[in-house]
Amino acid sequence: MKTPKGAITVTAALMLGMFGVASAKLPAPPPVDPAAAEAAKKKAAEAAKKEADLLAKAQDRVADRYKKQKGGAPAAGKK
């Protein structure tokens, strides 16, 4: 079965059109405000510190429970 020439032409045109869309340049990102970037950085650092503190407390609770069940001494330095 032969493919009609029109179908090949249409397929080639669609492929070229998709290539043109895919290779189009995106506009430059908006300039970043240094003050806003610094504030976001501080906020992220505070959140990370808080998460680390919560994780440490949870790990201490788990260790204490394990030691109680196994007959060991509880962890020192509990806050």
Side-chain angles (χ1 to χ4, degrees):
M1 182 172 187
K2 288 188 173 184
T3 307
K5 283 187 176 182
I8 293 173
T9 305
V10 170
T11 304
L14 286 173
M15 290 176 69
L16 287 172
M18 289 190 306
F19 176 75
V21 169
S23 64
K25 282 189 169 184
L26 294 175
V32 178
D33 181 25
E38 187 66 29
K41 194 177 194 181
K42 284 182 181 179
K43 187 175 180 180
E46 289 173 3
K49 186 178 185 319
K50 184 177 179 182
E51 288 291 324
D53 290 341
L54 290 173
L55 176 62
K57 287 179 183 179
Q59 289 172 336
D60 287 343
R61 285 193 309 266
V62 170
D64 287 342
R65 179 181 290 167
Y66 175 80
K67 288 179 181 179
K68 282 181 185 177
Q69 290 176 349
K70 295 296 179 180
K78 190 174 181 182
K79 292 182 182 179

